[in-house]
Amino acid sequence: MLGITKPERWLLVLSYIGLLVSLGFQRLEGGFTGNWSLVLLSFGIFNLAFMWDGVVRFAKK
């Protein structure tokens, strides 16, 4: 993880916290009936963290 920049680290931390919170809420409700938008949002942020270098290079062009 030494090659990860500061914005990537923050995106990863944000996605992990978001996933834990949304899955915790899902578990409290019982079953699979809600908060999936939060899970998908966190998954999207997690993917953005891995694609961050490519996004920055694309924006600089």
Side-chain angles (χ1 to χ4, degrees):
M1 293 190 79
L2 295 174
I4 295 177
T5 62
K6 197 170 193 175
E8 289 174 331
R9 271 189 243 130
W10 280 110
L11 286 171
L12 286 170
V13 168
L14 179 68
S15 67
Y16 284 131
I17 290 172
L19 280 171
L20 291 175
V21 168
S22 59
L23 289 174
F25 283 151
Q26 185 64 36
R27 181 68 179 146
L28 288 175
E29 287 180 5
F32 296 109
T33 60
N35 293 321
W36 284 110
S37 59
L38 288 174
V39 173
L40 292 175
L41 177 65
S42 298
F43 185 71
I45 293 171
F46 183 70
N47 286 328
L48 179 63
F50 285 111
M51 297 184 299
W52 187 255
D53 286 333
V55 170
V56 171
R57 273 189 237 126
F58 181 73
K60 286 184 179 179
K61 286 185 179 182

